[in-house]
Amino acid sequence: MDFFKQAVASAISKGPPFPYTWGDRLEDQGVWQLYNGTRREDGSDCSIFSFDVTANKNNLPMARNAVRKLRTIRHPGVITYLDSVETDSYIYVATERLVPLRWHVKRKSLSPETLKWGLFSIAQTIKFINDDASSVHGALRVGSLYTSESGEWKLGGFEVLSSMKDDDAVIYNYGSLVPEAGRYTPPELAKSGWSDIKRHPISAVDAYNFGTLIFEVFNGDFTGGEQAGQTKNIPPSMHSSYRRLVNSNPKARLSVGHFLEQGHRSGGFFETPLIKLTETVDNLGMKTEEEREEFLSDLEQLSDDFPEDYFRMKVLPELLKSVEFGGGGPKVFAVVMKISKKLSDDEFELKVTPAVIRLFSSPDRAIRVCLLDNLTLMIDRLPQKVVNDKIFPQMVTGFTDVAPVVREQTVKAVLTIIGKLSDRTINGELLKYLAKTSNDEQPGIRTNTTICLGKISKNLGVGTRSKVLIAAFTRSLRDPFVHARNAALMALAVTLDAFNEDDCANKILPALCSCLIDKEKIIRDQANKTMDAYLQRVRKYASSMPDTVLPPPSAIETSNSNNPRMSTPQSSEPASWTGWAISSFTNKVSAAAGEIQSTANDSVAPASRPNSAPLTSELRRPAPGTASASALHRQAVATPTALSARTSTSSNAQDYFQDSNPAEDDMIAWGEMEEESFFEAPSEAIAKTSTSSTVNPFQDDGEPDFAGWLAAQQKKPGAGKPLPKGLAKPAANGGRPVTAGRAATTGSVGGAGAKKAAVTTAKPKPLVAKKIDTAPKATDEDDGWGDGW
């Protein structure tokens, strides 16, 4: 094979220039050898017929006749001539790329409908040769037929094609020299020779050969004249006309033209969708609306076993023209997508992609919706740069289209193209448009937007993913449309991994709670499933957390070893929710100055104790290293005498714990708790509270003002009555508390006049308790993304 190629190249170099490159050798076709080739100018495919003059001098007239007829005859059913060159040693003819029909027939790779379509094309070509050109082909058989790149059947084998007007026609002398002529020669010429053609109708020879061709394509081979007229495997609708073609009487034979007419009659064997399409596709743009609808209905009836190459090469370009310029509409484009499935990626990019880009800029909403519906069929064929830079900018107009169907289809199409968009496009322009559709007036569009966000969550940027999804889904949970709420719940379930544990606990779980009592059962059920998933996630995380983040007590004692000890735990019992109360209570007792005085007031009935007040045994002490604010204050204002007296009265502390009236001690403990809150204010204000004239003990939103209450008690008639236990001020004389009655009689504070003067002095402003705002701080955690949702 290589030697032959080198010989051919050497012969070409010595002869006229032939601008084609030789490829593989296929097979012998009559007097020719067939090769694949390519045109050097543009690299396009072609076929090359080669004739060796030196080895086949006897057949040289036939080769020259074939070149001459091929060059002059122009018909869609004839192989396309490109170029030829002739020298003393060879003849080369370049044509369109061809494949011998014999290959398909032997493999039986063609469906009956395709065989009918091919026979119809050859019948039209033979009719043209017989009727219009007044010529006889003389060598019609499977070996003289080819299929083009488009799958169409093309007629060749013009070695003896002759005009009956030519007295010196080649067919008279060389008709019997054509390879394999003996099997296909009509019976009348087999008896008397090819020179008797003039005595019979022009169409007689080709009609007989067309009949043998019908038998051959349906059965695979024709062995001789004894098979002529047999109907094995031939469609029944063709039997009658087929028999008339191979009639032994040449004058009684049905011409190929009449055979064509019979097949075209209503209900005839050539009335097939594929043949109708062939006749219509070339001038589809000129058809009326009714004719176009009929054409499309025929297209929909076509099955997958019809010739792919024909649709790819001939039908597809015409359909694209019709969609763009001829008003073909979405129905035609749907057929385009059906055909383009069988295109290679290079063919799709060359033929379909440019048209798709142009169609996305079309203002026709029907075309736009059709494009969006068919994106799944072509997205894998479209390059990422084309989708991101050319198609998506045209596509985004659908998000704001006035037609709801366009907006909805655009949202659905996001799932198809998301893999071809850049991160910048997704986290920028796309999210802005999805924020708009999440607030759409159509509930279905809002629902689909939520579903879309759930499915593209992994494509969102890590920095904005959780913020966008939480804002979108929690908003959809409040949507009045039940399916929108359900979509949000399902989206939250499938995007669980997109959120951290803090978001799950602080943002998502609270939002899910309201859905647990939704009016719709479908929402309640889905909310329980979603909440279980999040609770499992949070619980798993919580189980891995430490029991506490506070430092151990030993570390605190070590760090505070140089500081005065403020309080110590009074119990080794396990920590409980009452432990802080016990610790605080004992710290206050240890910090109290002076001696607890047992007076006549002990007989006074204690005030009724609230049911909610904890018992002394249930109180808990504060953490080590802490001290109550009241104790610190007393130490700061205590006189040296009171401080020195503390050591002398330490023995009385035990009497305090053994008091016979524990209810009063309970009240003192709760009072001390409330007193601590007052010391959050500056010390100057605290010092003035003892002289406050406020009579409302819960003036500041229920905050007890014990100093005001104490002053009010002193003003009442019978103020000499001793105060309740624990409220008497410590005196400077020995550290003993002095009641109001004792101050009046002993004159330690100047008698009654001095007492009145002290009460009527300038009244300081009452202390306003510090209010604590328990409302959560407004934080802008979504960085602006939440505003869009």
Side-chain angles (χ1 to χ4, degrees), residues 16-20 67 71 81-86 91-94:
F18 191 64
Y20 296 91
V67 175
R71 187 187 295 124
Y81 169 86
L82 299 177
D83 197 1
S84 65
V85 61
E86 180 179 350
I91 298 176
Y92 300 139
V93 180

Side-chain angles (χ1 to χ4, degrees), residues 362-374:
S362 172
D364 189 344
R365 287 193 177 94
I367 290 293
R368 175 65 64 84
V369 172
C370 184
L371 286 169
L372 297 174
D373 288 340
N374 289 278

Side-chain angles (χ1 to χ4, degrees), residues 181-224:
R183 286 189 295 165
Y184 301 98
T185 301
E188 69 276 7
L189 298 181
K191 294 179 180 179
S192 58
W194 287 81
S195 59
D196 286 348
I197 291 178
K198 294 180 180 180
R199 296 168 47 192
H200 306 298
I202 294 177
S203 62
V205 175
D206 290 337
Y208 180 86
N209 289 148
F210 191 80
T212 61
L213 176 64
I214 292 175
F215 181 88
E216 194 169 13
V217 297
F218 281 107
N219 291 278
D221 196 11
F222 181 77
T223 59

Side-chain angles (χ1 to χ4, degrees), residues 386-465:
V386 170
V387 175
N388 192 78
D389 298 344
K390 296 182 179 180
I391 292 180
F392 182 75
Q394 300 291 341
M395 176 182 160
V396 294
T397 58
F399 288 110
T400 56
D401 196 277
V402 296
V405 65
V406 178
R407 300 199 301 272
E408 184 171 12
Q409 291 304 116
T410 305
V411 171
K412 291 180 179 179
V414 170
L415 300 178
T416 304
I417 69 167
I418 190 68
K420 294 294 182 75
L421 299 180
S422 65
D423 293 341
R424 182 176 182 180
T425 302
I426 294 173
N427 296 287
E429 193 170 2
L430 177 60
L431 284 182
K432 291 179 181 177
Y433 283 109
L434 290 179
K436 294 179 180 179
T437 56
S438 68
N439 297 322
D440 198 276
E441 60 182 7
Q442 297 293 327
I445 297 177
R446 299 197 301 269
T447 303
N448 285 329
T449 302
T450 301
I451 296 172
C452 176
L453 283 170
K455 291 186 175 182
I456 69 171
S457 60
K458 294 183 179 179
N459 299 94
L460 302 180
V462 178
T464 60
R465 181 186 303 160

Side-chain angles (χ1 to χ4, degrees), residues 570-571 573 576-586 609 612-622 665-670 673:
Q570 299 298 318
S571 174
E573 296 179 0
S576 66
W577 71 274
T578 59
W580 63 270
I582 297 173
S583 175
S584 177
F585 176 77
T586 56
R609 177 178 174 275
S612 62
L615 297 175
T616 306
S617 61
E618 297 177 352
L619 299 178
R620 178 189 161 195
R621 59 184 176 275
D665 295 338
D666 294 343
M667 289 302 297
I668 293 173
W670 285 107
M673 276 180 54

